[in-house]
Amino acid sequence: MTHANPPIRSLGRTGPAVTTPGLGAMGLSGAYGPSDDDEGIRVLHAYLDAGGTLLDTGDFYAAGHNEMLIARALRERSRDDVVLSVKFGANLAPGAPPVGFDGSPRNVRRSLVYSLQRLGTDHVDIYRPARLDPDVPIEETVGAMAELVDQGYIRHIGLSEVGVGTLRRAAAVAPVSDLQIEYSLLSRGIEGNGILDTCRELGIGITAYGVLAKGLIGGTGASADHAAAMFPRFQGENRRRNAELVERLQELARAKGATSAQLAIAWVAAQDEGIVPVVGARRPEQVASMLDSAISLDEADLALIDELLPAGAAHGERYPSAFMADLDSER
């Protein structure tokens, strides 16, 4: 079955109501291998036609291509039916991965102008720095975003991959709707480092990305192409051992009449009502599968999953060391 009306959750005390899961659009712009724009449009329409509302992108996804692709898909639709979540701040250079992040007030405003133009809209629903800029106090970044909220150009302030101290400092300046952070059966750091508890305390929602562990859970995904080479969990012995861990889910998934990917999405959603999984798709049939992930998991199911894949069981870091250094959430 396909859910014509996906479940709706509110992102924190002050954020918007969105459908769960949300659609992560990064893979539609070549992040995990060659992509086709027309197929990407079909993916976006498949999600929106099924009642999905939350589209997650970044202005640095293929240097703006992803935003322009989304604009094409939204051209014939009502803007009010879509919640656009946009990350900004990555410093791009030709032929190289992003190096560093710019959270200066000047860049907050400049980046938004370009995003609004590429997206063909007059506002962004959630705007967030992709990473913490270590050279700019978070109060300055959030303060600039709060001014844009007052001016109507953004509706809500989000954050991404920041730790407890940064969360508290940011929330003291302006309401924060949600924290975008990696959270999956193989990446459970937020349970033990205080981030999940702090979000609950402050009324900040969580949009969880990497729910399928970049393809380790439920399919080839990133593991089938060039992007996987950079992730330690896909390299050498790590890949084999992580694949063996994930295989443990298959029997329970079959008992639930689901795939292991659907089970993984349902597990993340079951951890807290304030968590919204954000899942990537590159084909319309993947959209149908992810929207079919509203599986009921009782306490016994959750206990069994914890036994099969305990926290900390994954082999290898979730990013290469250079990228890990950019994560305030890991400090």
Side-chain angles (χ1 to χ4, degrees):
M1 62 179 176
T2 298
H3 296 285
N5 295 294
I8 293 176
R9 290 186 168 183
S10 293
L11 286 178
R13 283 198 288 262
T14 64
V18 299
T19 53
T20 178
L23 179 64
M26 182 174 68
L28 303 180
S29 293
Y32 297 123
S35 57
D36 174 81
D37 284 2
D38 290 338
E39 183 77 341
I41 294 294
R42 286 190 285 271
V43 166
L44 291 163
H45 281 311
Y47 178 72
L48 298 170
D49 288 344
T53 62
L54 177 60
L55 298 180
D56 184 79
T57 185
D59 65 5
F60 51 93
Y61 291 173
H65 171 273
N66 203 243
E67 290 178 314
M68 291 186 285
L69 189 71
I70 288 172
R72 276 184 57 193
L74 298 185
R75 209 165 285 155
E76 306 301 323
R77 294 180 176 271
S78 169
R79 173 67 181 84
D80 293 338
D81 292 340
V82 180
V83 177
L84 290 175
S85 169
V86 180
K87 291 180 289 297
F88 72 92
N91 293 325
L92 299 180
V99 178
F101 297 85
D102 186 349
S104 66
R106 175 182 294 180
N107 192 51
V108 171
R109 294 185 286 267
R110 177 176 57 218
S111 296
L112 181 63
V113 170
Y114 284 106
S115 281
L116 294 175
Q117 179 65 28
R118 286 188 293 259
L119 288 164
T121 184
D122 63 357
H123 72 281
V124 166
D125 297 286
I126 310 171
Y127 202 50
R128 69 181 86 245
R131 298 288 187 268
L132 178 69
D133 182 343
D135 299 322
V136 177
I138 192 62
E139 290 85 353
E140 293 184 15
T141 304
V142 172
M145 296 168 71
E147 291 177 3
L148 293 167
V149 170
D150 291 340
Q151 295 165 11
Y153 294 113
I154 64 178
R155 297 286 191 262
H156 303 280
I157 295 168
L159 296 170
S160 178
E161 288 287 358
V162 298
V164 169
T166 303
L167 277 170
R168 293 191 182 281
R169 289 167 57 195
V173 174
V176 175
S177 67
D178 67 301
L179 170 68
Q180 189 167 110
I181 195 163
E182 187 168 0
Y183 187 39
S184 75
L185 282 163
L186 295 181
S187 295
R188 297 176 60 174
I190 66 172
E191 298 173 2
N193 61 13
I195 289 176
L196 180 55
D197 287 340
T198 301
C199 284
R200 288 168 172 158
E201 174 195 339
L202 299 177
I204 296 172
I206 289 176
T207 40
Y209 76 90
V211 173
L212 302 182
K214 300 179 178 67
L216 274 169
I217 301 174
T220 54
S223 64
D225 56 53
H226 67 281
M230 68 182 286
F231 296 113
R233 289 180 179 174
F234 287 86
Q235 295 167 357
E237 188 70 3
N238 287 345
R239 181 171 175 176
R240 183 188 66 79
R241 296 169 76 181
N242 287 326
E244 288 176 352
L245 284 173
V246 171
E247 283 177 8
R248 301 176 183 178
L249 294 174
Q250 292 179 356
E251 184 175 345
L252 177 58
R254 282 193 294 268
K256 291 287 181 181
T259 66
S260 55
Q262 290 168 334
L263 184 67
I265 296 169
W267 179 87
V268 169
Q271 300 311 301
D272 194 280
E273 282 293 321
I275 297 176
V276 173
V278 174
V279 184
R282 298 174 67 193
R283 300 187 304 276
E285 55 268 30
Q286 292 176 324
V287 173
S289 178
M290 81 183 219
L291 290 176
D292 219 15
S293 61
I295 303 160
S296 177
L297 297 176
D298 59 26
E299 291 301 321
D301 294 327
L302 295 173
L304 175 59
I305 292 171
D306 270 343
E307 183 180 329
L308 295 173
L309 265 80
H315 299 276
E317 296 284 2
R318 56 193 181 104
Y319 283 110
S321 57
F323 286 15
M324 290 292 287
D326 289 328
L327 301 178
D328 181 62
S329 55
E330 294 286 341
R331 298 192 183 113

Short mmCIF file of all heavy atoms in Angstrom, two decimals, residues 247-260 262-263 295-298 300-301 304-305 308:
data_model
loop_
_atom_site.label_atom_id
_atom_site.label_comp_id
_atom_site.label_asym_id
_atom_site.label_seq_id
_atom_site.Cartn_x
_atom_site.Cartn_y
_atom_site.Cartn_z
N GLU A 247 22.17 -7.32 8.30
CA GLU A 247 21.46 -8.55 7.96
C GLU A 247 20.61 -9.05 9.12
O GLU A 247 19.60 -9.75 8.93
CB GLU A 247 22.46 -9.64 7.55
CG GLU A 247 23.00 -9.47 6.14
CD GLU A 247 24.04 -10.52 5.80
OE1 GLU A 247 24.21 -11.46 6.61
OE2 GLU A 247 24.69 -10.39 4.75
N ARG A 248 20.99 -8.68 10.34
CA ARG A 248 20.25 -9.12 11.51
C ARG A 248 18.81 -8.59 11.53
O ARG A 248 17.94 -9.13 12.21
CB ARG A 248 20.96 -8.69 12.79
CG ARG A 248 22.38 -9.22 12.93
CD ARG A 248 23.03 -8.66 14.18
NE ARG A 248 24.43 -9.08 14.32
CZ ARG A 248 25.22 -8.69 15.31
NH1 ARG A 248 24.75 -7.85 16.25
NH2 ARG A 248 26.47 -9.10 15.38
N LEU A 249 18.57 -7.51 10.79
CA LEU A 249 17.24 -6.89 10.78
C LEU A 249 16.26 -7.62 9.88
O LEU A 249 15.04 -7.44 10.01
CB LEU A 249 17.34 -5.44 10.28
CG LEU A 249 18.09 -4.43 11.14
CD1 LEU A 249 18.18 -3.11 10.40
CD2 LEU A 249 17.41 -4.25 12.49
N GLN A 250 16.77 -8.42 8.97
CA GLN A 250 15.91 -8.91 7.89
C GLN A 250 14.78 -9.81 8.37
O GLN A 250 13.66 -9.72 7.89
CB GLN A 250 16.77 -9.61 6.84
CG GLN A 250 17.67 -8.64 6.08
CD GLN A 250 18.54 -9.31 5.05
OE1 GLN A 250 18.56 -10.53 4.92
NE2 GLN A 250 19.29 -8.50 4.30
N GLU A 251 15.05 -10.65 9.35
CA GLU A 251 13.99 -11.56 9.83
C GLU A 251 12.85 -10.78 10.47
O GLU A 251 11.67 -11.05 10.22
CB GLU A 251 14.57 -12.57 10.82
CG GLU A 251 13.54 -13.60 11.26
CD GLU A 251 14.14 -14.68 12.15
OE1 GLU A 251 15.38 -14.81 12.20
OE2 GLU A 251 13.36 -15.40 12.81
N LEU A 252 13.18 -9.77 11.30
CA LEU A 252 12.15 -8.96 11.93
C LEU A 252 11.38 -8.16 10.87
O LEU A 252 10.15 -8.04 10.95
CB LEU A 252 12.75 -8.01 12.97
CG LEU A 252 11.78 -7.04 13.65
CD1 LEU A 252 10.66 -7.80 14.35
CD2 LEU A 252 12.51 -6.14 14.63
N ALA A 253 12.10 -7.64 9.90
CA ALA A 253 11.44 -6.88 8.83
C ALA A 253 10.44 -7.77 8.10
O ALA A 253 9.29 -7.35 7.84
CB ALA A 253 12.48 -6.32 7.86
N ARG A 254 10.84 -8.97 7.77
CA ARG A 254 9.91 -9.89 7.08
C ARG A 254 8.69 -10.18 7.94
O ARG A 254 7.56 -10.25 7.44
CB ARG A 254 10.63 -11.20 6.73
CG ARG A 254 11.55 -11.08 5.51
CD ARG A 254 11.98 -12.47 5.02
NE ARG A 254 12.81 -13.14 6.01
CZ ARG A 254 14.15 -13.09 6.03
NH1 ARG A 254 14.79 -12.37 5.12
NH2 ARG A 254 14.83 -13.74 6.94
N ALA A 255 8.90 -10.33 9.23
CA ALA A 255 7.77 -10.59 10.14
C ALA A 255 6.80 -9.43 10.16
O ALA A 255 5.59 -9.62 10.41
CB ALA A 255 8.29 -10.88 11.55
N LYS A 256 7.31 -8.23 9.89
CA LYS A 256 6.46 -7.03 9.87
C LYS A 256 5.91 -6.75 8.47
O LYS A 256 5.21 -5.77 8.26
CB LYS A 256 7.28 -5.82 10.34
CG LYS A 256 7.66 -5.85 11.81
CD LYS A 256 6.44 -5.58 12.67
CE LYS A 256 6.79 -5.58 14.15
NZ LYS A 256 5.58 -5.32 14.99
N GLY A 257 6.25 -7.63 7.51
CA GLY A 257 5.81 -7.39 6.15
C GLY A 257 6.45 -6.17 5.54
O GLY A 257 5.85 -5.44 4.74
N ALA A 258 7.71 -5.92 5.92
CA ALA A 258 8.41 -4.70 5.50
C ALA A 258 9.81 -5.04 5.02
O ALA A 258 10.30 -6.16 5.20
CB ALA A 258 8.48 -3.72 6.68
N THR A 259 10.45 -4.06 4.43
CA THR A 259 11.86 -4.19 4.08
C THR A 259 12.71 -3.71 5.26
O THR A 259 12.21 -3.03 6.17
CB THR A 259 12.20 -3.34 2.85
OG1 THR A 259 12.04 -1.95 3.18
CG2 THR A 259 11.30 -3.69 1.67
N SER A 260 14.00 -4.04 5.22
CA SER A 260 14.87 -3.57 6.30
C SER A 260 14.98 -2.04 6.28
O SER A 260 15.11 -1.41 7.33
CB SER A 260 16.25 -4.21 6.18
OG SER A 260 16.81 -4.01 4.90
N GLN A 262 12.52 0.06 5.41
CA GLN A 262 11.31 0.56 6.06
C GLN A 262 11.38 0.40 7.57
O GLN A 262 10.94 1.28 8.33
CB GLN A 262 10.09 -0.17 5.48
CG GLN A 262 9.78 0.21 4.04
CD GLN A 262 8.77 -0.71 3.40
OE1 GLN A 262 8.62 -1.87 3.79
NE2 GLN A 262 8.07 -0.20 2.40
N LEU A 263 11.94 -0.72 8.00
CA LEU A 263 12.09 -0.95 9.44
C LEU A 263 13.02 0.09 10.05
O LEU A 263 12.76 0.61 11.15
CB LEU A 263 12.65 -2.36 9.68
CG LEU A 263 12.78 -2.80 11.14
CD1 LEU A 263 11.41 -2.95 11.78
CD2 LEU A 263 13.55 -4.12 11.23
N ILE A 295 5.41 1.70 10.06
CA ILE A 295 5.26 0.37 10.66
C ILE A 295 5.12 0.52 12.17
O ILE A 295 5.84 1.30 12.80
CB ILE A 295 6.49 -0.49 10.34
CG1 ILE A 295 6.70 -0.58 8.83
CG2 ILE A 295 6.37 -1.87 10.95
CD1 ILE A 295 8.11 -1.00 8.46
N SER A 296 4.22 -0.23 12.75
CA SER A 296 4.04 -0.17 14.20
C SER A 296 5.10 -1.03 14.89
O SER A 296 5.24 -2.22 14.61
CB SER A 296 2.64 -0.67 14.57
OG SER A 296 2.48 -0.70 15.97
N LEU A 297 5.86 -0.39 15.76
CA LEU A 297 6.89 -1.10 16.54
C LEU A 297 6.54 -0.98 18.01
O LEU A 297 6.48 0.13 18.56
CB LEU A 297 8.27 -0.50 16.27
CG LEU A 297 8.80 -0.59 14.84
CD1 LEU A 297 10.13 0.14 14.71
CD2 LEU A 297 8.95 -2.04 14.40
N ASP A 298 6.31 -2.11 18.68
CA ASP A 298 6.00 -2.07 20.10
C ASP A 298 7.28 -2.18 20.92
O ASP A 298 8.39 -2.26 20.38
CB ASP A 298 5.00 -3.16 20.48
CG ASP A 298 5.49 -4.58 20.17
OD1 ASP A 298 6.73 -4.79 20.14
OD2 ASP A 298 4.65 -5.48 19.98
N ALA A 300 8.49 -4.54 22.65
CA ALA A 300 9.24 -5.79 22.42
C ALA A 300 10.05 -5.70 21.13
O ALA A 300 11.20 -6.15 21.07
CB ALA A 300 8.28 -6.97 22.37
N ASP A 301 9.46 -5.10 20.10
CA ASP A 301 10.18 -4.92 18.83
C ASP A 301 11.41 -4.04 19.03
O ASP A 301 12.50 -4.34 18.55
CB ASP A 301 9.28 -4.28 17.78
CG ASP A 301 8.12 -5.17 17.36
OD1 ASP A 301 8.29 -6.39 17.35
OD2 ASP A 301 7.04 -4.61 17.06
N LEU A 304 14.12 -5.83 20.88
CA LEU A 304 14.79 -6.80 20.02
C LEU A 304 15.77 -6.10 19.07
O LEU A 304 16.89 -6.58 18.87
CB LEU A 304 13.76 -7.59 19.21
CG LEU A 304 14.31 -8.56 18.17
CD1 LEU A 304 15.22 -9.60 18.83
CD2 LEU A 304 13.17 -9.25 17.42
N ILE A 305 15.35 -4.97 18.51
CA ILE A 305 16.24 -4.23 17.61
C ILE A 305 17.48 -3.75 18.36
O ILE A 305 18.60 -3.82 17.84
CB ILE A 305 15.49 -3.05 16.97
CG1 ILE A 305 14.41 -3.58 16.00
CG2 ILE A 305 16.45 -2.12 16.22
CD1 ILE A 305 13.47 -2.52 15.49
N LEU A 308 19.73 -6.67 18.59
CA LEU A 308 20.33 -7.03 17.30
C LEU A 308 21.39 -6.03 16.86
O LEU A 308 22.44 -6.41 16.34
CB LEU A 308 19.24 -7.14 16.22
CG LEU A 308 18.20 -8.24 16.40
CD1 LEU A 308 17.10 -8.10 15.35
CD2 LEU A 308 18.85 -9.61 16.30
#
